[in-house]
Amino acid sequence: MSSIFAQRRQKLLALKALRGTPTASPHAVERCPSCQGEFTRRELVAGRYVCPLCGHHYPVGAYYRLSMVLDKGTFRELDEALASADPLEFPGYDSKLEQAQGRTGMNEAVVTAVGRMGGVKVAVGAMDSRFFMGSMSAALGEKVTRLVEYAGKNRLPLILFSASGGARMQEGILSLMQMAKTAAALEQFSRRGGLYISVLTHPTTGGVTASFASLGDIMLAEPGALIGFAGPRVIQQTIGEDLPEGFQRSEYLLEHGFLDAIVPRGQLRSTILQLLRLHGKEVDQDGK
Amino acid sequence: MANENLTPTQRVALARHPERPGAEDIINALFTEFFPQRGDRRCGEDPAILGGVALFHGKPVTVIAHRKGRNLEEHLACHFGMPSPEGYRKAQRLMEQAEKFRRPILTFIDTPGAYPGLEAEARGQGEAIARCLAISSALTVPVVAVVTGEGGSGGALALGVGNRVLMLDNAVYSVLSPEGFAAILWKDASRSGEACDVMKLTAADLLALGVVDEIIPEPEGGAHKEPNTLYQTLDAALVRELTALNKLSPAALAAGRYKKFRVMGSSAVRKERL
Ligand SMILES: [Zn+2]
C-alpha cells in the first residue's frame, strides 16, 4: 500500500521538479554564463545543471534540488499551503505574489519536507531563488521554523539548502523578525542534540545568511556560490574601491573559516549520506 | 511640533539627530560604576559596540549598546554606529557572562545597520549576527532591549531579542534603512521619503504589529531637547520591566522569550488553496 503512495509522491515530485525548468528541446544549444562555452540542453540536464566545461553551477529549483538528494518515492511535503498574507498591505505586493505563485507553482520561496536519505528519515528544506529571489517572508520563516520544530520533535537530522537575496522588503520588519524566530528554533534544536547540515547555494545573502543558514553544525556550500551578509554592490559603495576577485564566493568563505567543505552538486547526496553515517545513522548500503 | 503629529520622515530625522542621546549619554545617566569590557577574545575590539557591567539602582547588570561616537574621530572609529563581527562577538561574550553571573541584560539599539565592509564580510558578519540571535534567544536571565535611535536591519536585531522590547517615541526600527529600502525596491535611493511612509517603521506602527511592547515618550521636539526628562522616563520603565521579569524563573524567562519571537509575523501567514 505504502508503495503506491511512494510512487505517487515520486511522480508528484518529478512533476514539480520539472515545473519552472525551461522546456527547450534536448538538442537546443546552451551557452554557459560563466565560460561562454556551448553544449546541448541534454548535456546540461544530464549534468544536473552544472556546466560540463567549467563546472559552473546553475541555480536550480527547490523541488528539483530535493529530488536530487532524497531517496526515490520518499518525499512528503510539509506546510505546502502556507503563503504570505501581505501583512503590511504593501502597494502592489499581492499582485506580485500572485504572479510569482503562478509562474513557479509554489506558494513560498522554500519547500519543506520529510523524506529519506539512504533509508534515514530526514527533515529537509530547499529555498528557491526564482520566487521573490528567495527572500525571507514571514511565511518562509514560519515554514523553516516549523521544519526545525518538526525535526526536533521527531529527532530527525535537519538539512537545509539556502538560496536567498535577503529580506522580503514588502514585509518590512516582520521579515526581519524571522531571523530571530528561526535562529531561536535552531538553538533549541541544537541544545537537544539535533544535527543540522546547512548547505549554502548561489546566492545566500542578507538575513538568511545572518540567521539559519549560518548556524549549521556542518556548513557546506556548492562551488562558486555568492555567500555574504551585505551585497557586493553595497560594500563597493561603502569602501569606494573594487572588490577582490572571488570575494564572497564559496572558496573565499572556506579560506576564511566559515565552511567545512565545498561540495560539487554531483557529490552532495553522497557527502550528506557520509555525514549521516558519521553521526551514527544507519544508512542503507545502496544509499552510497 | 507635538510629537504625535510628526511624519515618519520627521521621526527618522529625529532618530538620527546629531544631538540625540547616544550610548555613552544613556549609560552615564542610568547606571553607576560602568565598567566597559573590550574585545571579542578572538582577534579584535570594535568600539561600535559599547558594553560592560554596571550597577542599575545598586544591582549589577550587563549593558550592551550600539555606539555612534560623539565627534568625528569617534564616528569614524565606530563606523557611525555600524558594528563589525568583532562587535557582535563581544556582545555574545557579554551575554554569556551575564548568564554565568545571573545578571539581567539591558541593550540599547541605535545603528543604521551592520557595517557593510570587506573585512566585516571576511570575518563573517552574517555568522556573527546569527550567533548573537541564537545565544540571546536561549538566555535564562532577563533581557530588556530598548530601541533608542535607529534600529536598522539585522545589525540592530542582534541586540534586540529581549523578553521585553521598548522603543523611544521617535526611534525607528526597520528591515533596512529607508535609503537602502528605496534603492532595493525601486532602484532609487532618493525615494527614501516615500519609503518612510510605507515601511511601518515608527514606534506606533511597531507596537501595533507586536514587534515592540511599549513606547517610551520623549520630550516635545525630541529626546535631545530635554535629555534628563527622557532619562527619568526610561529609568522608571526599566525598573518596572526588570521588577516584573525578576519574578520569573530562569526557565520561564527563556520560554517566554522563545514564545514572544515564535509568534512574530504569524498574522502575516495564511493558507493558500492547493
Ligand atoms: Zn561553463
Side-chain angles (χ1 to χ4, degrees), chain A residues 81-85 87-88 90 101 107 142 145 149 167 169 172 176 178 181 184-185 187 210 228-230 248 252 256 258, chain B residues 116 118 121-124 126 130 133-134 137-138 153-154 157 173 175 181 185 200 206 258 261-262 264 268-272:
Chain A
L82 282 194
S84 169
L88 306 187
F90 195 90
Q101 286 165 348
N107 284 321
E142 180 67 23
T145 304
E149 289 175 342
M169 291 298 144
L176 188 70
Q178 305 311 307
K181 183 162 112 182
E187 181 66 14
F229 178 58
Q248 289 185 317
Y252 182 88
H256 285 83
F258 292 97
Chain B
L118 191 150
E121 290 293 316
R123 294 181 195 141
L133 298 172
S137 75
S153 134
L157 179 64
Y173 194 5
V175 67
F181 184 93
L185 205 59
K200 304 236 161 64
L206 297 168
Y258 186 83
F261 285 86
R262 179 66 187 84
M264 289 274 180
V269 174
R270 70 193 163 87
K271 282 208 166 171
E272 181 68 89

Side-chain angles (χ1 to χ4, degrees), chain A residues 32 35 51 54 56:
Chain A
C32 169
C35 72
C51 169
C54 74
H56 169 73

Side-chain angles (χ1 to χ4, degrees), chain A residues 46-179:
Chain A
R48 302 176 181 192
Y49 298 89
V50 175
C51 169
L53 303 171
C54 74
H56 169 73
H57 282 52
Y58 286 67
V60 295
Y63 289 107
Y64 181 76
R65 164 80 60 195
L66 294 178
S67 74
M68 277 191 296
V69 293
L70 291 175
D71 296 348
K72 288 203 185 331
T74 64
F75 168 86
R76 181 163 65 81
E77 188 162 359
L78 303 170
D79 300 310
E80 189 182 357
L82 282 194
S84 169
D86 187 9
L88 306 187
E89 296 178 355
F90 195 90
Y93 182 37
D94 54 350
S95 63
K96 273 194 166 170
L97 271 173
E98 234 168 78
Q99 277 174 28
Q101 286 165 348
R103 200 175 55 239
T104 61
M106 303 171 65
N107 284 321
E108 250 309 325
V110 69
V111 173
T112 57
V114 59
R116 288 182 187 273
M117 290 187 67
V120 178
K121 203 170 174 190
V122 294
V124 286
M127 297 181 69
D128 197 315
S129 60
R130 297 167 309 173
F131 192 101
F132 273 83
M133 294 165 72
S135 57
M136 179 104 95
S137 68
L140 189 145
E142 180 67 23
K143 285 181 80 168
V144 170
T145 304
R146 287 190 191 184
L147 181 71
V148 175
E149 289 175 342
Y150 183 92
K153 200 165 25 171
N154 296 284
R155 301 207 155 263
L156 305 180
L158 170 69
I159 302 150
L160 274 174
F161 297 88
S162 292
S164 178
R168 185 79 51 88
M169 291 298 144
Q170 295 87 344
E171 298 194 15
I173 194 85
L174 297 176
S175 166
L176 188 70
M177 291 301 136
Q178 305 311 307
M179 293 169 59

Side-chain angles (χ1 to χ4, degrees), chain B:
Chain B
M1 189 190 281
N3 285 345
E4 59 267 28
N5 296 328
L6 294 170
T7 64
T9 309
Q10 287 169 322
R11 288 189 198 268
V12 169
L14 280 176
R16 293 173 176 174
H17 197 285
E19 288 158 37
R20 190 168 180 85
E24 299 93 334
D25 307 308
I26 292 171
I27 290 174
N28 286 338
L30 266 62
F31 305 96
T32 55
E33 293 199 44
F34 175 58
F35 179 79
Q37 291 178 270
R38 298 191 179 88
D40 67 354
R41 299 296 184 271
R42 288 172 170 98
C43 71
E45 151 67 4
D46 178 13
I49 295 281
L50 179 61
V53 197
L55 298 180
F56 183 62
H57 293 269
K59 297 241 174 66
V61 293
T62 285
V63 180
I64 309 173
H66 292 105
R67 176 168 174 253
K68 291 183 168 174
R70 289 179 290 197
N71 53 51
L72 185 62
E73 199 184 329
E74 287 180 6
H75 289 329
L76 292 172
C78 297
H79 286 133
F80 296 86
M82 294 186 280
S84 295
E86 295 77 25
Y88 292 115
R89 295 193 176 113
K90 175 169 68 180
Q92 293 167 23
R93 187 168 76 79
L94 300 193
M95 288 172 188
E96 283 167 342
Q97 270 189 20
E99 177 85 3
K100 173 180 175 185
F101 295 109
R102 310 303 308 160
R103 292 190 286 261
I105 299 173
L106 301 175
T107 70
F108 300 95
I109 295 168
D110 185 14
T111 178
Y115 184 59
L118 191 150
E119 281 158 359
E121 290 293 316
R123 294 181 195 141
Q125 187 73 282
E127 191 271 349
I129 294 171
R131 199 67 63 187
C132 254
L133 298 172
I135 290 174
S136 53
S137 75
L139 294 166
T140 63
V141 293
V143 182
V144 180
V146 189
V147 186
T148 64
E150 287 178 273
S153 134
L157 179 64
L159 303 187
V161 184
N163 294 84
R164 299 281 290 170
V165 181
L166 317 183
M167 188 162 167
L168 267 53
D169 197 12
N170 293 317
V172 293
Y173 194 5
S174 54
V175 67
L176 200 58
S177 70
E179 292 79 8
F181 184 93
I184 286 190
L185 205 59
W186 303 315
K187 314 280 174 235
D188 183 359
S190 69
R191 286 171 72 184
S192 63
E194 218 175 308
C196 291
D197 292 335
V198 295
M199 285 176 79
K200 304 236 161 64
L201 45 64
T202 69
D205 288 332
L206 297 168
L207 186 72
L209 288 169
V211 172
V212 305
D213 301 302
E214 187 184 334
I215 299 175
I216 309 293
E218 286 186 36
E220 202 80 358
H224 62 287
K225 295 281 187 190
E226 282 175 57
N228 287 327
T229 311
L230 171 78
Y231 301 145
Q232 281 169 22
T233 321
L234 186 54
D235 180 76
L238 290 175
V239 167
R240 198 171 56 240
E241 298 297 352
L242 281 183
T243 306
L245 291 173
N246 278 331
K247 290 181 183 140
L248 301 175
S249 71
L253 284 165
R257 200 179 312 105
Y258 186 83
K259 204 181 278 175
K260 175 182 172 63
F261 285 86
R262 179 66 187 84
V263 300
M264 289 274 180
S266 46
S267 64
V269 174
R270 70 193 163 87
K271 282 208 166 171
E272 181 68 89
R273 289 184 312 271
L274 287 176

Side-chain angles (χ1 to χ4, degrees), chain A residues 8-30:
Chain A
R8 272 187 53 193
R9 276 181 204 151
Q10 184 56 28
K11 269 189 193 153
L12 198 70
L13 180 60
L15 222 77
K16 286 181 165 178
L18 282 175
R19 200 159 50 191
T21 52
T23 48
S25 135
H27 305 293
V29 175
E30 296 280 337

Side-chain angles (χ1 to χ4, degrees), chain A residues 219-264:
Chain A
M219 298 290 303
L220 308 178
E222 285 194 333
L226 177 75
I227 303 163
F229 178 58
R233 219 169 357 139
V234 177
I235 299 168
Q236 207 161 16
Q237 282 166 4
T238 308
I239 63 172
E241 49 191 279
D242 286 343
L243 299 170
E245 179 87 18
F247 178 64
Q248 289 185 317
R249 297 288 163 174
S250 306
E251 296 72 17
Y252 182 88
L253 269 90
L254 183 76
E255 194 181 312
H256 285 83
F258 292 97
L259 295 175
D260 289 295
I262 296 173
V263 185

